Amino acid sequence: EVQVVETGGGLIQPGGSLRVSCVASGFTVSSNHMSWVRQAPGKGLEWVSVFYFGGSTYYADSVKGRFTISRDNSKNTLYLQMDSLRAEDTAVYYCARGGAGKPFDYWGQGTLVTVSS
Amino acid sequence: EIVMTQSPATLSVSPGERATLSCRASQSVTSNVAWYQQKPGQAPRLLIYDASTRATGIPARFSGSGSATEFTLTISSLQSEDFAVYYCQQYNNWWTFGQGTKVEIK
């Protein structure tokens, strides 16, 4: 059974850093394109970053230079390192399989990141 | 950036009736459009991809159509579990989502 589980969210002060994780089961992260998508409270969906299976990474302009996507193949895990956090980064962060001309077919339940003093 | 515009923002429908949701792209996205369903407190669920292909396990009452800039999601006979927010997404040039259509009970 395919499953995606995010962890690591929490309350963080503006300017702080946080790393969220996404553990996959039922498929191999390194053989798939993997993305992060976020949803601010009461708002719509926004693509944040993608890690192509070949190793290329890309970011939305809103997070470029502040967020870093990475993966640990031995742990079948995707990460999102978030630095210089702002109030507008407050959202549920979802990990999803998909990218490069493909939709997002499997999503985790999300992890809430709240940036506030 | 390709902007996806959904209409209406809210659709009030009685159980058993048909629901038609629209999505317009600011430029051609060929058939690289997906539709997702999201219920409160849950992650989005993929319903339709490539504009008209149902994802695994999705009931036949859900259908998608369209190409280029105009797309439609049709729910032929609304069931109680179908009341939710629906998002369209283009994946032709990066990934952008519409703002959502809430399907509520009339």
Side-chain angles (χ1 to χ4, degrees), chain B residues 48-100:
Chain B
I48 301 287
Y49 63 95
D50 293 348
S52 61
T53 303
R54 277 189 302 276
T56 303
I58 301 303
R61 65 180 181 272
F62 291 92
S63 63
S65 63
S67 63
T69 62
E70 300 287 339
F71 301 90
T72 300
L73 174 70
T74 301
I75 311 171
S76 60
S77 177
L78 270 159
Q79 306 299 302
S80 58
E81 62 267 29
D82 300 335
F83 292 96
V85 178
Y86 292 83
Y87 293 96
C88 62
Q89 177 210 31
Q90 67 82 20
Y91 46 95
N92 193 63
N93 186 344
W94 303 105
W95 305 270
T96 50
F97 296 86
Q99 80 280 16

Side-chain angles (χ1 to χ4, degrees), chain A residues 9-62:
Chain A
L11 175 63
I12 188 77
Q13 292 190 336
S17 297
L18 194 66
R19 188 179 79 164
V20 292
S21 303
C22 163
V23 178
S25 56
F27 69 95
T28 303
V29 165
S30 61
S31 299
N32 286 272
H33 306 310
M34 296 294 297
S35 294
W36 287 98
V37 176
R38 69 183 180 183
Q39 186 170 36
K43 302 297 184 182
L45 300 164
E46 179 189 20
W47 169 76
V48 172
S49 182
V50 64
F51 200 123
Y52 287 163
F53 70 76
S56 301
T57 60
Y58 298 94
Y59 302 90
D61 288 342
S62 57

